Amino acid sequence: MSQAQLLGVYPVGPEEFLCALFHVGEASRFLPVWLAPVEGARLLARLNGWTPNRPHAVDALADLARAAGGAAGEIELSDVHEGVFRATLRLGDGTDVDLRPSDALAVALELDLPVEVTEDVLASASLWLSADDASRYFDVDIETGAPDAVAEADSGSDAEFEAFLRQLGAADDDEDDGADKA
């Protein structure tokens, strides 16, 4: 298993679907996890410091995990099938709780838990991004761990990323260059 760092929640493509983007540093890979609109918006709001006036289900789940005495251990992105992710909240006593990724990520924020990714999920759903692409498409500045010469020579990774963006409906001319288009 590899630890994943949540970089943020981003609207992607012309439909602006919400994507939680993770960086898995030891593998130099990025993992996009697509979120339902309402849950994605709530997660984005929580990342920006919002707290609900009344507890939501994830707040109650976090309170139950705290009250159970056995501290929660980690969140695991445990499986992906046809683009649908499964997440697991692993409690300190070894109990696993199956959760939707959006709920699991909100619980991770609430309890300050690490997010782990299985090797199967990493192999089937992650992609490599150059530092330039991470900055261009997600406004993320991060070291990818690959030298620029290797990144430029890796045309397979570039083709993989371009195919990923085409799947989202994004095109090169979608980039906002700051000029007004009439």
Side-chain angles (χ1 to χ4, degrees):
M1 261 198 286
S2 301
Q3 188 158 351
Q5 174 192 5
L6 178 62
L7 299 176
V9 175
Y10 301 92
V12 178
E15 297 87 4
E16 295 194 342
F17 290 128
L18 293 176
C19 171
L21 184 65
F22 289 88
H23 181 245
V24 183
E26 67 187 52
S28 295
R29 305 285 287 180
F30 288 83
L31 181 67
V33 177
W34 302 103
L35 304 170
V38 171
E39 289 82 0
R42 282 189 187 141
L43 182 60
L44 180 58
R46 284 178 187 263
L47 284 168
N48 290 324
W50 173 81
T51 55
N53 292 334
R54 297 285 302 140
H56 289 173
V58 295
D59 301 304
L61 181 59
D63 288 345
L64 286 171
R66 282 188 203 102
E74 67 186 18
I75 295 292
E76 179 183 303
L77 296 174
S78 51
D79 190 28
V80 61
H81 179 68
E82 295 182 2
V84 177
F85 286 83
R86 291 183 70 160
T88 303
L89 166 62
R90 180 152 298 123
L91 300 175
D93 66 0
T95 304
D96 286 347
V97 180
D98 184 29
L99 295 172
R100 298 179 308 166
S102 56
D103 294 336
L105 297 176
V107 168
L109 285 175
E110 180 67 24
L111 297 177
D112 195 28
L113 298 177
V115 176
E116 299 283 331
V117 180
T118 65
E119 296 306 315
D120 288 342
V121 169
L122 197 57
S124 64
S126 70
L127 55 118
W128 184 86
L129 292 177
S130 69
D132 289 341
D133 286 340
S135 177
R136 178 179 174 195
Y137 293 105
F138 298 103
D139 197 25
V140 172
D141 294 320
I142 195 160
E143 276 299 314
T144 59
D148 289 338
V150 172
E152 289 174 13
D154 191 355
S155 61
S157 293
D158 288 344
E160 178 184 353
F161 183 65
E162 287 175 17
F164 167 72
L165 289 176
R166 276 194 299 279
Q167 249 181 345
L168 298 175
D172 284 341
D173 59 349
D174 288 343
E175 183 179 350
D176 181 15
D177 61 3
D180 290 337
K181 296 177 183 175

